[in-house]
Amino acid sequence: MIRPAFLASSEAERIVPPTGTTAPLTTLAAAAMAFLCVFALALLYTTGRVADRWSGELAQSATVRISAPADQMEAQVTAVLSILAQTPGVADARALSDEEQQALLTPWFGPDLPLETLPIPQLVELTRDARGLDAEGLRLRLRAEVPGAVFDDHTRWRAPLIDAAQRLRLLGWLSVALIAVTMAVIVSLAASTALAANGQVIDVLRLIGAKDSFVANAFVRRFTLRALAGAAVGTALGMAALVFVPSDTPSGFLSGLGFRGAEWLAPLAVPLVTACVAFLATGLAARRRLREIS
């Protein structure tokens, strides 16, 4: 039974080679995995914030689309605004200007779309209040009084957004799990290599009465500390890199990527989790390897 590695005597660590390929490999791998884990966590939190914001905005707003001949459009817009002003649950309603509708269509049709020559419906934007809105009742009234008006409460847009956000979060957690597994494999291989390279030293220790637990504890302690140190450096670099990510870009790409408020505490757990993974992986590898070289 291997006792906790951090309780092992530091004298036992002298049997573990302080130099060689295993030392920089373990430290570098831990730093790289921690760096990637910080960005995976940042993407998780950012995805959640963006999805919640978009879902909240869609839930509080709705639109009425009015399709009518040009000579009847103004009268129907006035009728729709009058109905909305009388509808409980509607805090505000206004018809979008041509410039605003142009801006909505620009990403698909470009900036030179001639709105005046195309039969584009008029959009009326409304905001709900805390009382809630009877969407079905509003649809029926619009259908009866303004046949060309169609009410859209954004339900069909909100549901796919929430589903996509949940899938992105799942992928994020899978990425974190894969990083942990990769770290465990690298540390296990490094520890096994170090044990194999010191087979003669281990044989001598056994001859003078050292138990396998003494040898295993030495390797577990050394490799766990190496992983902890590397992960601390990788986490610090990852957090520093996120500080310099642009908070606002013209296209919106990567806008808001990073942590907010108490979320900055999450990456601080990465070195500790890495050390735990290294502790378990090295312990298993050491026991298995010592049995093989018995």
Side-chain angles (χ1 to χ4, degrees):
M1 180 70 179
I2 297 177
R3 60 194 178 98
F6 289 102
L7 298 180
S9 171
S10 60
E11 296 295 325
E13 291 186 54
R14 294 182 180 181
I15 68 171
V16 184
T19 58
T21 57
T22 58
L25 173 63
T26 304
T27 305
L28 181 61
M33 294 298 103
F35 185 89
L36 294 176
C37 191
V38 170
F39 270 85
L41 288 174
L43 286 172
L44 274 172
Y45 280 107
T46 303
T47 301
R49 286 197 307 272
V50 172
D52 291 342
R53 185 176 71 248
W54 287 357
S55 179
E57 291 175 353
L58 290 175
Q60 292 300 318
S61 64
T63 54
V64 177
R65 185 177 69 253
I66 305 172
S67 300
D71 58 342
Q72 301 178 19
M73 182 65 75
E74 184 175 353
Q76 294 209 15
V77 169
T78 301
V80 167
L81 291 174
S82 176
I83 292 172
L84 294 176
Q86 304 168 15
T87 302
V90 177
D92 182 54
R94 67 183 187 89
L96 297 184
S97 65
D98 290 343
E99 291 74 16
E100 289 174 316
Q101 295 200 145
Q102 177 86 40
L104 291 175
L105 296 173
T106 294
W108 285 270
F109 299 102
D112 300 323
L113 181 68
L115 290 180
E116 64 281 356
T117 62
L118 297 175
I120 296 177
Q122 173 65 51
L123 293 180
V124 174
E125 180 184 58
L126 62 96
T127 305
R128 309 183 193 197
D129 61 22
R131 294 177 295 174
L133 177 66
D134 181 7
E136 190 59 31
L138 179 59
R139 285 193 181 95
L140 293 175
R141 184 176 179 185
L142 288 173
R143 189 179 303 168
E145 299 184 26
V146 189
V150 177
F151 175 69
D152 183 4
D153 61 359
H154 300 164
T155 300
R156 61 174 178 171
W157 303 104
R158 191 163 62 250
L161 179 63
I162 295 174
D163 182 61
Q166 291 174 343
R167 296 192 180 198
L168 284 174
R169 287 169 179 165
L170 177 61
L171 288 175
W173 285 117
L174 286 176
S175 299
V176 173
L178 286 175
I179 290 171
V181 170
T182 302
M183 183 66 213
V185 171
I186 292 174
V187 174
S188 297
L189 291 175
S192 297
T193 301
L195 282 163
N198 288 269
Q200 294 181 346
V201 175
I202 293 172
D203 288 338
V204 172
L205 289 171
R206 283 171 170 169
L207 287 174
I208 63 176
K211 296 182 178 180
D212 284 353
S213 60
F214 173 84
V215 179
N217 282 336
F219 278 86
V220 171
R221 178 184 174 93
R222 176 62 65 85
F223 279 88
T224 300
L225 291 175
R226 287 175 180 172
L228 178 62
V233 173
T235 299
L237 291 176
M239 295 175 70
L242 287 173
V243 171
F244 293 101
V245 172
S247 59
D248 190 19
T249 57
S251 62
F253 180 67
L254 289 182
S255 294
L257 176 64
F259 303 105
R260 297 290 182 273
E263 294 173 357
W264 283 101
L265 297 176
L268 298 181
V270 172
L272 297 178
V273 174
T274 302
C276 291
V277 171
F279 171 80
L280 296 174
T282 308
L284 292 173
R287 288 197 294 269
R288 184 177 63 252
R289 192 64 180 175
L290 287 171
R291 285 196 300 267
E292 292 174 356
I293 62 178
S294 298

